[in-house]
Amino acid sequence: MIHTTTQISGKPRWLTPVLFTTTIFLSASLLFFVQPLFTKIVLPHVGGAPAVWTTAMLFFQTVLIGGYLYAHLITQYLPIRAQVALHLVLWALALAFLPLAIAEGWSYDAQTSTAWQTLLLFATGVGLPFAVLSANAPLIQSWYSRSGGYSADDPYFLYGASNLGSLIALLGFPLVAEPLFGAGQIGWGWTVGFWVLGVLLLASGVMARERIAQPVEDVQIEAAPSLQTRLYWALIAFIPSSLMLAITSKMTMDIGAVPLIWVIPLGLFLLTFVLVFTNRPIASLTMLRLGYIIGLGVLALAFADLLGLEFSVWSAVLTVIAFFFTALYAHALLYASRPAAQHLTTFYVTMSVGGALGGLFNSIIAPIVFNELHEGAITVAIAVTLLIGRATRPSRIAMVGITALILLVVAEAPLTSAIGKMAVSALTIALLLLIATTIRRRAQIHAWVLVTFLVVGQVFVVDPGTVLLRDRSFFGIHNIVERDGRRLYVNGNTLHGAQRIVDLTADRPEPQFYYHRNGPMAQVLTSTKADESNTVGIVGLGIGALACYRQPHQSWHFYEIDALVADIAHDPNHFTFMSRCAPNESTHLGDARMVLAEQDRLDFDILVIDAYSSNSIPVHLTTVEAFEIYLDHLSEDGLLLFHISNRYYNIDLPLGRLAEAMGLTARIQDYAGNEAEDSGDIASLFVVLARNEDALGDLNTDPRWTPLASDGGQVWTDDFANVLGVLKR
């Protein structure tokens, strides 16, 4: 066989790598900048659930497969001129999608799968531009291999440049673009970049087709990768992808659904490609293997909740560092097993399939199969198999499935006693030891120790109490447990409501915790102002505890985005607030802002926004546009009451700015609660707003409610919201 190299007639040799590096860098920057940008655009339409980002990632990974497959096919079957022409035609068609926006007239349908609707939003809003960008990484590398530039026979270094551009774009969005510019301005800047990319693609295509082939030496053309090799690539690619999404889901659930939280794991994921897809590796595979082992151990602890039942900032930092070292080794294995340039596109297609399978597992399969976030633990178990080598023999592949099945049984076992958990765990360890005898000694020890971390975590994690319900929806993990004489509803790791067990048969149950009769919420709903109110709206149903503040002459409307939450609240077998106190009142499913906007004029005397009592900020409920909708549905002397208890964000800051900008009177109460044991009266933070002081009624002279002033910061809108600026210091 004849191996050829190329020369570019009349062009400086340095121009070729500079041009191709610039092109692939810009393409990757646009590719990964658009992910948080368009997700930010979508959030107001589907809510701020953790699953929005994982579903978005599934879309991006799926389209990435299509882009890589398209690049593979055209490089295999079309000449260079045809490749360039076709790709530029698709680039031109993609311009019709710009600037990026949601299709006019689109509205959320609470009766249709949220995941499916989210995927359709991305497909119709950014589908073709993203597909064109997705194809560029393998396509530009393939063109470079025909250009005669430096290292044209091994162009994988360009993938490192590609991921460097991706990383810079990802970090640039939450740290620079989002705090300084609105989504509209960012979108126009992205559009300009997309136009520039078209010029660079044309120049790169011309450079590739201008080569003059010259025979150099006879070499053996490398055979096509075997099926086993491709399965190995897919398995390696699956592991970091799935772990990244599992960590993102946990961090989003515990800390917040904001772009910075999304991009940290993804940014580290990309950084690992930059560090290992190079001819100058940062460390040997042996050293990286050690980091992989330690990283998996930490991840096993994290997913078993042994770093805490919820992520603190420090446990989150430790977890993402562990993920970084895990992904670093996995991607180093990919680079070490890369084929010759002639099979480059096959390699990237297979990688993208493995990554997309990780997205499919986390976004679609896991929410159906698991009732909690077990996908991280399962993927750690699968990741252990990389310690035994190439994992291509059928017996080793079988071990992957058996290990995953065992962990699934342990995770899903409905055991409430420590003895029961220990019995299942002992059986699991015995089976793992049996499996471990099929692999070589050193790997056997590593695999056994790491998987045992997961088993031990299932045994010794803090017992939440008697579990009555575990379920999962697009919007989170739902648990109902009984502990200390109360039935608790926990969404993710945040308590969203409680009822005393003795009240389950009472005619009028007593609200607990945030809604205790001593707290700010009760102060408003039992005030003289409330006695004069006829229509009350509650955004955020929870378990319906507020229903028992309803008075006979009042009409109440509840708004809830999660149908599963509505089912829990209305089922008297779980909680009895709704069935006892408001059995005939309306519950409107869907995002409250969108539902309110579509409803006929409904004048509320009191409108409660209770969607902040977790760890995140539903930004789209805290903007000028949202307030305009609230005020449009508020009587002239009506009250807006915001529950803003939050671990990480000072939500009073954007509310104070909005009140000043819209000419509203604002009061705030930082309620200390009653620390007496079993009081059911906990600390909380509330803000009440009205069009004027007189509308506040008796609250205006209540010393517990103090004026809320603006800090002078920029007002939030749908186009601009700087979430980092309101982080608690």
Side-chain angles (χ1 to χ4, degrees):
M1 303 295 290
I2 300 298
H3 181 66
T4 63
T5 187
T6 60
Q7 298 175 352
I8 304 298
S9 175
K11 302 288 191 304
R13 292 199 66 193
W14 58 265
L15 179 61
T16 305
V18 168
L19 172 63
F20 279 84
T21 301
T22 302
T23 305
I24 202 168
F25 180 89
L26 176 60
S27 176
S29 299
L30 294 170
L31 181 71
F32 279 85
F33 203 83
V34 78
Q35 295 185 30
L37 170 61
F38 199 73
T39 305
K40 177 182 174 70
I41 294 172
V42 164
L43 277 178
H45 299 269
V46 294
V52 171
W53 179 246
T54 56
T55 304
M57 286 301 298
L58 173 62
F59 170 81
F60 294 136
Q61 289 172 321
T62 303
V63 175
L64 193 69
I65 294 177
Y68 281 11
L69 183 59
Y70 153 79
H72 172 71
L73 293 175
I74 68 171
T75 55
Q76 292 294 313
Y77 298 107
L78 294 179
I80 279 289
R81 290 188 180 186
Q83 293 176 35
V84 175
L86 175 59
H87 200 55
L88 288 174
V89 166
L90 292 178
W91 168 83
L93 292 175
L95 295 175
F97 285 74
L98 307 181
L100 302 174
I102 298 295
E104 189 172 347
W106 187 91
S107 62
Y108 176 78
D109 181 0
Q111 305 303 320
T112 304
S113 166
T114 306
W116 177 246
Q117 292 182 80
T118 303
L119 291 172
L120 285 178
L121 270 180
F122 278 88
T124 57
V126 74
L128 186 54
F130 193 86
V132 171
L133 293 171
S134 296
N136 286 338
L139 190 59
I140 291 171
Q141 289 178 73
S142 176
W143 290 355
Y144 185 75
S145 70
R146 305 162 66 95
S147 70
Y150 293 106
S151 299
D153 59 339
D154 188 16
Y156 289 94
F157 74 93
L158 286 174
Y159 196 62
S162 170
N163 283 280
L164 179 60
S166 303
L167 177 62
I168 292 174
L170 276 175
L171 296 178
F173 184 86
L175 297 179
V176 179
E178 190 177 35
L180 297 178
F181 306 103
Q185 293 172 302
I186 298 171
W188 276 107
W190 191 89
T191 300
V192 172
F194 196 80
W195 274 95
V196 173
L197 177 65
V199 176
L200 293 176
L201 286 173
L202 175 61
S204 298
V206 170
M207 189 74 74
R209 71 183 179 85
E210 283 187 350
R211 69 175 185 168
I212 302 173
Q214 295 179 340
V216 178
E217 58 181 331
D218 291 338
V219 296
Q220 185 66 40
I221 298 298
E222 182 179 292
S226 66
L227 176 60
Q228 289 185 337
T229 298
R230 297 183 191 189
L231 289 175
Y232 176 61
W233 292 339
L235 174 64
I236 298 175
F238 169 90
I239 291 169
S241 172
S242 179
L243 287 176
M244 174 188 67
L245 294 175
I247 291 169
T248 302
S249 291
K250 188 165 179 60
M251 291 176 63
T252 305
M253 182 174 65
D254 290 342
I255 299 177
V258 295
L260 181 61
I261 299 301
W262 303 328
V263 304
I264 288 174
L266 181 55
L268 291 175
F269 177 86
L270 295 172
L271 180 59
T272 60
F273 280 115
V274 176
L275 295 176
V276 299
F277 270 63
T278 174
N279 294 327
R280 299 175 182 175
I282 61 170
S284 66
L285 279 176
T286 301
M287 289 295 296
L288 295 178
R289 179 189 178 93
L290 177 61
Y292 182 78
I293 293 171
I294 296 172
L296 283 182
V298 173
L299 291 177
L301 294 173
F303 290 125
D305 288 330
L306 291 179
L307 296 182
L309 290 179
E310 62 185 47
F311 266 180
S312 66
V313 173
W314 290 111
S315 61
V317 169
L318 181 61
T319 301
V320 296
I321 291 174
F323 164 71
F324 170 75
F325 284 106
T326 303
L328 193 66
Y329 176 70
H331 292 154
L333 286 180
L334 276 175
Y335 183 74
S337 63
R338 70 193 186 282
Q342 68 199 78
H343 301 300
L344 177 147
T345 54
T346 301
F347 177 69
Y348 285 120
V349 168
T350 308
M351 276 179 52
S352 67
V353 169
L357 288 175
L360 180 67
F361 174 61
N362 286 65
S363 301
I364 304 298
I365 297 175
I368 295 174
V369 176
F370 307 141
N371 53 27
E372 291 193 34
L373 289 174
H374 295 314
E375 52 265 34
I378 298 296
T379 304
V380 169
I382 295 173
V384 169
T385 62
L386 286 186
L387 294 173
I388 64 174
R390 292 178 60 84
T392 55
R393 294 208 315 244
S395 62
R396 293 173 178 175
I397 297 296
M399 195 203 75
V400 177
I402 294 173
T403 302
L405 179 61
I406 292 171
L407 288 172
L408 174 60
V409 171
V410 174
E412 296 293 303
L415 302 172
T416 57
S417 69
I419 294 177
K421 288 186 176 182
M422 285 183 175
V424 173
S425 298
L427 176 61
T428 302
I429 291 174
L431 289 172
L432 289 173
L433 283 172
L434 181 63
I435 295 169
T437 59
T438 65
I439 55 180
R440 63 178 184 265
R441 185 178 301 275
R442 289 181 61 189
Q444 170 185 331
I445 295 173
H446 295 154
W448 184 85
V449 169
L450 288 170
V451 178
T452 301
F453 269 130
L454 293 173
V455 177
V456 171
Q458 294 294 334
V459 176
F460 293 105
V461 67
V462 177
D463 192 344
T466 302
V467 179
L468 302 180
L469 172 73
R470 283 179 179 162
D471 211 338
R472 184 172 183 174
S473 70
F474 182 84
F475 297 97
I477 309 297
H478 306 270
N479 288 291
I480 299 177
V481 301
E482 287 187 354
R483 186 173 64 230
D484 301 329
R486 289 186 177 87
R487 183 169 291 179
L488 309 176
Y489 165 56
V490 181
N491 189 326
N493 290 316
T494 301
L495 179 64
H496 278 272
Q499 183 174 1
R500 295 184 303 184
I501 294 176
V502 296
D503 278 353
L504 290 173
T505 56
D507 289 336
R508 201 167 186 86
E510 279 294 315
Q512 298 287 292
F513 298 137
Y514 293 127
Y515 315 116
H516 194 277
R517 288 197 175 272
N518 295 335
M521 182 77 84
Q523 294 168 22
V524 174
L525 294 178
T526 60
S527 65
T528 302
K529 176 74 175 181
D531 293 341
E532 301 169 352
S533 300
N534 294 314
T535 309
V536 177
I538 307 292
V539 173
L541 175 62
I543 60 173
L546 292 180
C548 287
Y549 288 113
R550 174 182 169 273
Q551 300 181 39
H553 69 281
Q554 293 175 336
S555 172
W556 281 41
H557 294 260
F558 296 89
Y559 297 85
E560 176 56 51
I561 195 171
D562 192 339
L564 181 56
V565 172
D567 291 341
I568 290 172
H570 285 277
D571 188 343
N573 293 317
H574 297 318
F575 300 98
T576 61
F577 293 108
M578 292 297 291
S579 59
R580 300 283 184 178
C581 300
N584 300 316
E585 301 305 291
S586 301
T587 297
H588 308 277
L589 291 178
D591 183 88
R593 174 176 157 176
M594 290 183 285
V595 174
L596 284 169
E598 294 174 358
Q599 284 181 328
D600 293 334
R601 185 171 180 82
L602 185 62
D603 289 336
F604 293 110
D605 298 306
I606 299 176
L607 179 57
V608 177
I609 312 297
D610 188 20
Y612 298 86
S613 56
S614 183
N615 306 321
S616 61
I617 303 180
V619 174
H620 68 295
L621 298 181
T622 323
T623 64
V624 169
E625 292 83 354
F627 265 60
E628 289 173 346
I629 294 173
Y630 302 152
L631 294 175
D632 189 50
H633 287 78
L634 197 69
S635 62
E636 283 301 315
D637 60 348
L639 297 180
L640 267 175
L641 179 62
F642 285 80
H643 180 199
I644 58 171
S645 303
N646 196 282
R647 295 183 182 93
Y648 303 111
Y649 302 101
N650 294 307
I651 306 173
D652 56 304
L653 296 179
L655 291 182
R657 299 169 194 171
L658 284 162
E660 181 182 65
M662 306 191 76
L664 303 177
T665 295
R667 299 285 189 273
I668 186 170
Q669 182 176 164
D670 190 355
Y671 179 66
N674 182 355
E675 296 183 0
E677 185 176 356
D678 201 38
S679 68
D681 183 6
I682 64 174
S684 57
L685 185 64
F686 283 81
V687 169
V688 62
L689 303 101
R691 288 187 172 90
N692 52 64
E693 290 185 349
D694 291 339
L696 290 172
D698 48 334
L699 298 176
N700 188 40
T701 57
D702 189 330
R704 294 171 296 185
W705 293 89
T706 59
L708 173 63
S710 171
D711 67 340
Q714 187 169 348
V715 176
W716 286 9
T717 66
D718 285 352
D719 188 66
F720 172 86
N722 180 13
V723 177
L724 290 181
V726 299
L727 271 173
K728 291 182 178 180
R729 282 8 185 226

